[in-house]
Amino acid sequence: PTIDATVDRSMTATDPAPVSPLRRLAILGLGALTVFTGLGFLGGWWWIFDLLAHFRVLALLCATLAALALTALRWWTLAAWSLALVLLHLALVLPLYSLAASTPAPSSAPRLRVISFNLHAGNPRAAEAAAHVASLDPDVVALLEVSPVEIAAFEAALPEHRHVAQPRNDAFGIAVFTRMVPTATEVHTFGPRWAPSIELQLPLGDQRITMLA
């Protein structure tokens, strides 16, 4: 007898299981968070990348929520991916908090109240912002994204403070108001000329400190 050995390939071929839209979304989200995290390490190459490193705590929160959700869904590979991101951000964030908690200043040490305040360029409520900062009784105020108009508002609100300023009408103006008389001041441009920084030397008790804004 003749045996027909023809195989119907359409019956034996196995297609990969389709990926659900929710799983695709999880993969895209973790991929974006991974790229976001990685670019934050490249701040020395481009200042835009350095801005991403300012959101480590937020990235840690996102990775933690993702790890919990993916574990509940039993998507173990994606859960492990998100857990790796959690551990990385914990390694980056926890030393900052533990260092601050482990080095208390002695009670006899001089105190210095420093405020960094981003006005956001073109803020129409500069006078209110200046009054709020003055109510905190700061010794030193570093103002970011400050224009000549906003400088005038802070001069009125902080009459006891001297200031060094490089105001601009864009997002790169900077000024430092200080209650102490600086022993030295210098304006630096570590990057492009339109992004100035201010260095001051200030007396504090029997010491002299250097501040960079």
Side-chain angles (χ1 to χ4, degrees):
T2 302
I3 300 175
D4 187 358
T6 303
V7 178
D8 186 350
R9 297 186 180 276
S10 65
M11 298 293 292
T12 60
T14 56
D15 294 327
V19 179
S20 69
L22 181 59
R23 192 179 182 92
R24 289 180 185 274
L25 182 62
I27 293 171
L28 288 174
L30 287 176
L33 186 57
T34 301
V35 172
F36 183 92
T37 299
L39 292 178
F41 291 102
L42 304 179
W45 292 3
W46 191 26
W47 67 271
I48 293 291
F49 291 158
D50 185 61
L51 293 179
L52 304 182
H54 296 184
F55 301 96
R56 298 295 192 198
V57 174
L58 180 60
L60 172 60
L61 176 61
C62 293
T64 301
L65 293 176
L68 293 173
L70 294 168
T71 299
L73 291 170
R74 297 179 180 272
W75 292 350
W76 305 119
T77 301
L78 297 182
W81 182 359
S82 56
L83 180 59
L85 290 173
V86 169
L87 295 175
L88 172 61
H89 285 95
L90 281 175
L92 295 170
V93 170
L94 285 182
L96 302 177
Y97 289 91
S98 61
L99 179 62
S102 62
T103 55
S107 58
S108 60
R111 293 292 193 262
L112 185 68
R113 176 169 290 184
V114 180
I115 294 177
S116 176
F117 197 93
N118 191 320
L119 279 164
H120 298 292
N123 190 337
R125 301 172 63 184
E128 293 178 56
H132 173 69
V133 169
S135 70
L136 300 176
D137 192 29
D139 297 305
V140 180
V141 182
L143 298 178
L144 310 178
E145 299 189 24
V146 63
S147 71
V149 173
E150 293 153 349
I151 288 287
F154 277 82
E155 286 176 336
L158 299 168
E160 298 179 357
H161 289 63
R162 302 157 181 82
H163 69 274
V164 181
Q166 290 286 303
R168 296 171 58 95
N169 291 316
D170 54 23
F172 297 96
I174 190 169
V176 178
F177 283 72
T178 171
R179 181 174 280 137
M180 297 86 75
V181 179
T183 58
T185 62
E186 187 173 358
V187 177
H188 299 281
T189 51
F190 295 110
R193 292 183 179 180
W194 40 261
S197 299
I198 296 176
E199 180 182 356
L200 302 93
Q201 290 186 7
L202 301 172
L204 183 63
D206 58 355
Q207 302 176 0
R208 182 177 297 176
I209 63 172
T210 300
M211 300 188 67
L212 183 65

